[in-house]
Amino acid sequence: MRMARDEVRVGILGLGIVGGGTYQVLTGNADAIRQRLGCPLVVARVADVDWERQREVTVPEELRTTDASAITGAEDIDIVIETIGGVHPAREFILDAIAHGKSVVTSNKELIARHGSEILDAAAAAGVD
């Protein structure tokens, strides 16, 4: 996995309740995270299918995309955070991120229950988490 030495860049897939909360925690606690991590953790991009929907959180226009592959396949993203939920297309997005050498974070219990072994095997083969 390509890891920037001066910062860790993350992409978030989905900006519903969980994705929005994740975005708020990462951006709102940036200083504390930097101190613990030893370098900045930067939300570099956020993918969602509907940017017109009302949300509690505001993501700058330059970070927004509707194309998940702009995160899963991007050279400037180190870690992908999947917050879509469900099995499809979350499974395909996670496997694509792993294939592109990215570690993945998910709390998607349904996906892990159904495809956890496949995802863990793919991550092990790719040398990511």
Side-chain angles (χ1 to χ4, degrees):
M1 173 176 68
R2 183 200 72 75
M3 290 293 287
R5 295 188 188 272
D6 58 342
E7 65 184 12
V8 175
R9 295 174 59 83
V10 300
I12 300 173
L13 300 176
L15 198 69
I17 300 296
V18 175
T22 300
Y23 180 83
Q24 285 181 314
V25 166
L26 295 178
T27 57
N29 296 298
D31 289 337
I33 294 169
R34 178 188 352 241
Q35 289 176 356
R36 289 183 185 145
L37 189 59
C39 67
L41 187 141
V42 176
V43 177
R45 206 161 297 117
V46 180
D48 196 82
V49 295
D50 181 8
W51 285 104
E52 300 302 316
R53 185 177 62 202
Q54 281 289 87
R55 295 185 169 83
E56 298 277 326
V57 61
T58 301
V59 176
E61 188 78 31
E62 65 271 14
L63 301 184
R64 298 178 187 184
T65 184
T66 56
D67 181 9
S69 67
I71 292 175
T72 61
E75 297 231 353
D76 66 330
I77 301 288
D78 301 304
I79 300 170
V80 173
I81 302 172
E82 181 274 318
T83 67
I84 298 168
V87 173
H88 299 288
R91 175 184 164 271
E92 291 78 11
F93 293 157
I94 286 174
L95 291 173
D96 187 51
I98 290 168
H100 282 94
K102 291 156 191 7
S103 290
V104 175
V105 176
T106 185
S107 62
N108 188 330
K109 295 178 284 294
E110 180 182 11
L111 177 63
I112 295 303
R114 292 185 182 196
H115 299 284
S117 294
E118 174 190 20
I119 291 168
L120 290 172
D121 289 347
V128 298
D129 296 312

